[in-house]
Amino acid sequence: MASNDQDGQSKPLCDTNLLKEIAKKDLVNALNAVNGAKTLVLDPDLAGPLGLVIEVSLLKQHGVDKMFWLEPGPLTSTSTNIVYLCRPKIKHVKIVADQIKRHAKEAKKHTYTLLLIPRVSTLVSRILEEEGVLGEVTLSAFNLQFIPLAEDVVSLEYDHAFRELWVDGDETVVFDSAQALISLQKLFGHFPQVVGKGNFAQARLSRLANLLTRQSKSSTSGAENVLSSAANVDSLIVLDRKVDLITPLLTQLTYEGLIDELIGIKNSHVELPVSLVNPPAANPASSSSASTSATPIVNVKKDSKKKHHLTTTTDPLYAELRDLNFSSVGRKLNTVARRLDEDYKVKAKPLFFSMTGLMQVLGGLQTEHQSLRLHTGISELILPLTRTEVFNKSLEIQQNLLASYEVSSQVAAIEELIAQGADMQIVVRLLCLASITAGGIKAKTLENLKREILQSYGYEYLPLLLALAQPSLAVLLPNPLPPSIPASTKYPFSLVRKSLRLLLDDNPEALEEVENDIGFVYSGWAPISIRLVQCVAQKGGVISNPAEKEKTSDERSKSSIGKVQAHPIVGWRGFEDIVSAIPGETVAVEAVRRHDDGIGPALTPMSASSPIREQTTTTVVFFLGGCTYTEIAALRWVGRQNKGKLIMRALDDSLHVLTADTLQAEGS
């Protein structure tokens, strides 16, 4: 949960670690159901998500003696029991069937268990039956649902959810997400109000409201009532990723966002040079004299890599840095370095004759020192990449396209990037951004650009270009549109930009406004998705900056940020016109109404008659198709500006920007 205090000292109302403990317990129970020693064959894509909820040592304690990746080819196991753990995908099931048939030919006797995440699929049984091995396999489910990524972020970590929904037309993730949301409300309380935007959101919310209604008719357990009361959830907001495809096409400019852009974050882990993650041991006595800012520049290409878990649990400094615009990170690191130097001098001196006290103080300071060294090193890895010509040129093109400034010149600049051999991901993202913001690119120009992309980067990207142009996605379109594509496919960019106050002035006089608005995450551009959340949970923040209005003259001189009292959730009220102009269905229903004598079902339109309550409530925001780290940062900002309002982020896909890898067809 995002704290509603700037210092982040308030505790979250929803303990997301409960989800981790539930997942760990379910997996242990599934493994214990197979008696004796066992070989675990794991889908490589699940290694990251599972690593966030369970340790390898715990698997060994419950009978796992060997582990292998699930991949084509023979499987050699000395254990009688073989447990496969994977998602119910055709390619995985066929590998399992092939390995079972190989063992049968070699007269090897094994007991096979197939653990499917998150549920058993009829398709799996059919494929195993066609392969003739259904009788040899025990099918079971490991209901892995939301995984905590941070204290206020949970994710299904469902790779390729965006592509499966809007390119492949596979809606499996919609059902799985609905089931996960129902499990979430069992833990933290019913969703009294459900608000959504997007076609898939509408389908999801209709089903979710029906399921919640059926559940509310039965009495809730005592434990559930306790958790519900503690969390005090006031609403669920569901957003389709397609409602805002502009945001994931932009370059993320927060610290965490740039780490993802330029280094890459996967399942909350990042690969860093070993010398940066595990520095040589330093002499405690000499630590105080060493400058905390004197971190050597690490050669990211030549040095061997090691995965590092980005978490605020063991790294409080990361909590202070992750949501900052990267331009402010250097100042923050310098401030922390000066404070640490001062702490070494002030805290260690009185304890000089007390060895125990001295070691405790120095131990804590050395932990902070290592954290500072790590993030200083990461910043030095990122900084040179942000000063390249291609990086800055792409930022310039993005800003001009968002302002609708000389679009034809920006398209020509994209063509120049192709000629310069810029990264293909950058080129495609800019091209899609130009198409959405301008309502399409001239047909002849677009065909020439596609031809140049294929000739420069390879014809294996042809399926990608075709997918971007198909009506279900419609992010790379010609202008005018062909008759086969309806005019409603065009995104009303100019109207949305003006009505939702998306583009903030970037001149020096308006710098304070940018810093005190969600637009800080893109240095002057407010993510559409978060403005839509504000339309529901912080209506005043859409029209103007609520922090600015709360400042007194004395506070203005200190650049402090004021807060406003959170208002009751009343759906899209006040923004119906602009929300309906955005493609996708609009949903606002009261799924569960609370009464003095319990909880009763209700599917009636929401009312604004309820009085403003001083108690703190939690709003759950669910992204269907993934979201970016900058959107997470912007939502945390919204949570901090509202008295009595905390915001929890949930998503089905991994956190990501929209890239070619996101959309390309998965190989078999």
Side-chain angles (χ1 to χ4, degrees), residues 63-76:
V64 176
D65 57 359
K66 289 186 179 180
M67 296 178 63
F68 297 96
W69 295 129
L70 179 60
E71 53 190 7
L75 173 67
T76 303

Side-chain angles (χ1 to χ4, degrees), residues 28-49:
V28 167
N29 290 339
L31 292 174
N32 288 341
V34 180
N35 295 324
K38 56 196 72 80
T39 296
L40 181 62
V41 185
L42 180 64
D43 172 14
D45 291 337
L46 291 176

